[in-house]
């Protein structure tokens, strides 16, 4: 009886080792995929142009249009004999349209609707559940699914929109500071500031709930996110902790400094 039990246990050992190996591989793959997805979302791997986290890129298109991609952004370009179209797949872009000799219309498409540029300089950004646009020069039309104009924006105006809702809004005064590598805020909630800064950080940023409503103002060079956090903590008497979560990915959390 004892001999049979030992043989049964011996047969189970390889299966147990294989199960442990499979679990370790799954955990490692999950961590790797999480990091890769944050750096370059899988949907954008085959896109025409893209940037990584805290990278910016300027592209001159065939018609003389200047396209600038902000952090972690992705676009596809579709120029044909009838139209010029940029598909924004992720992130944020600035466009200064060129003068097309063929006078083809210029469109920007997003998952939440399309825009038509009417000789202009403007920005377009994707958010979690909507898109937004801001006009610096010229005019931009927000289109419905049939190509009709839902709204026309002029310099100093912006809009947030999805397939159902459309809201005109004033253009944020410092919204284009990223073009010069800066993040400029005035009287912004700490939680909102960290959410914005997270776009330029290799690790997600957050704060203790009790600190969310602290106010932040200033001009911050985006080249060094760590230096921004150091300055922020010193000015507001805060500290930052690095928390390692499941699969080994790290989150930076702002806490009240010990007194």
């Amino acid at each position: 009886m004892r001999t049979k039990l030992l043989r049964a246990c011996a047969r189970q050992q390889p299966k147990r080792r294989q199960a442990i190996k499979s679990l370790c591989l799954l955990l490692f793959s999950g961590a790797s995929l999480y990091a890769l997805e944050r750096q370059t979302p899988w949907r954008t791997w085959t896109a025409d142009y893209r940037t990584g986290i805290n990278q910016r890129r300027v592209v001159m298109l065939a018609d003389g249009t200047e396209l600038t991609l902000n952090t972690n952004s992705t676009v596809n370009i579709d120029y044909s004999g009838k139209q010029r179209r940029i598909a924004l797949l992720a992130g944020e872009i600035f466009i200064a349209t060129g003068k097309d000799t063929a006078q083809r219309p210029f469109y920007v498409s997003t998952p939440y609707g399309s825009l038509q540029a009417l000789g202009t300089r403007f920005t377009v950004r994707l958010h979690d559940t909507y898109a937004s646009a801001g006009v610096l020069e010229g005019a931009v039309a927000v289109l419905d699914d049939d190509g009709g104009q839902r709204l026309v924006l002029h310099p100093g105006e912006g809009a947030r929109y999805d397939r159902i809702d459309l809201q005109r809004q004033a253009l944020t005064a410092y919204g284009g500071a990223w073009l010069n590598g800066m993040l400029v805020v005035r009287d912004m909630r700490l939680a909102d500031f960290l959410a914005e800064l997270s776009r330029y950080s290799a690790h997600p940023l957050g704060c203790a709930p009790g600190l969310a409503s602290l106010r932040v103002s200033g001009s911050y060079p985006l080249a060094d996110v760590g230096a921004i956090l150091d300055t922020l903590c010193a000015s507001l008497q805060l500290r930052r902790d690095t928390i390692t979560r499941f699969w080994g990915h790290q989150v930076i959390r702002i806490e009240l400094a010990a007194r």
Side-chain angles (χ1 to χ4, degrees):
M1 181 67 180
R2 184 177 179 182
T3 302
K4 291 182 179 180
L5 182 60
L6 291 174
R7 288 176 179 173
C9 290
R11 285 195 298 270
Q12 291 297 321
Q13 287 301 317
K15 294 181 180 179
R16 190 172 301 167
R17 285 196 296 269
Q18 183 61 40
I20 292 173
K21 287 180 180 179
S22 298
L23 178 59
C24 290
L25 180 60
L26 178 62
L27 292 174
F28 176 78
S29 299
S32 300
L33 287 173
Y34 173 87
L36 186 58
E37 172 68 14
R38 177 156 173 82
Q39 291 293 333
T40 308
W42 67 268
R43 294 176 296 275
T44 69
W45 290 348
T46 60
D48 292 330
Y49 299 104
R50 62 174 178 261
T51 53
I53 292 176
N54 211 358
Q55 293 180 343
R56 281 166 296 282
R57 182 178 182 182
V58 179
V59 179
M60 297 301 296
L61 301 181
D63 63 336
T65 292
E66 179 182 317
L67 169 67
T68 306
L69 288 77
N70 197 5
T71 176
N72 209 22
S73 300
T74 312
V75 298
N76 278 330
I77 310 298
D78 182 15
Y79 276 26
S80 68
K82 295 183 178 180
Q83 67 175 15
R84 300 169 289 166
R85 184 177 295 272
I86 294 177
L88 177 58
L89 307 179
E92 181 177 20
I93 55 175
F94 165 81
I95 298 169
T97 55
K99 294 183 178 180
D100 186 39
T101 55
Q103 297 185 338
R104 294 168 295 176
F106 191 104
Y107 300 102
V108 176
S109 59
T110 76
Y112 306 107
S114 296
L115 305 169
Q116 182 177 3
L118 307 174
T120 186
R121 299 169 66 244
F122 65 111
T123 60
V124 189
R125 176 176 169 182
L126 285 184
H127 305 259
D128 289 339
T129 58
Y130 65 94
S132 64
V135 179
L136 284 72
E137 181 181 298
V140 171
V142 184
L143 307 179
D144 59 27
D145 290 338
D146 296 326
Q149 293 184 0
R150 300 170 65 188
L151 181 68
V152 176
L153 302 173
H154 298 97
E157 295 182 331
R160 56 176 289 171
Y161 62 93
D162 58 25
R163 291 292 183 184
I164 300 174
D165 296 322
L166 172 62
Q167 300 176 21
R168 190 192 299 267
Q169 56 190 17
L171 186 63
T172 303
Y174 308 104
W178 63 268
L179 290 164
N180 296 315
M182 300 292 293
L183 176 60
V184 181
V185 299
R186 293 291 181 267
D187 199 35
M188 180 180 281
R189 295 174 68 250
L190 176 61
D192 297 334
F193 176 79
L194 293 174
E196 185 68 15
L197 188 60
S198 284
R199 301 172 62 209
Y200 304 90
S201 171
H203 305 295
L205 309 176
C207 66
L211 304 177
S213 295
L214 289 177
R215 315 309 288 189
V216 179
S217 296
S219 300
Y220 302 93
L222 288 166
D224 191 340
V225 172
I228 294 176
L229 294 176
D230 289 342
T231 300
L232 180 72
C233 289
S235 63
L236 297 178
Q237 295 185 319
L238 304 174
R239 63 182 172 87
R240 58 171 165 156
D241 289 336
T242 301
I243 302 171
T244 301
R245 297 268 175 87
F246 190 57
W247 284 347
H249 72 270
Q250 294 181 329
V251 176
I252 297 176
R253 182 178 170 90
I254 303 300
E255 306 275 1
L256 192 64
R259 296 177 184 270

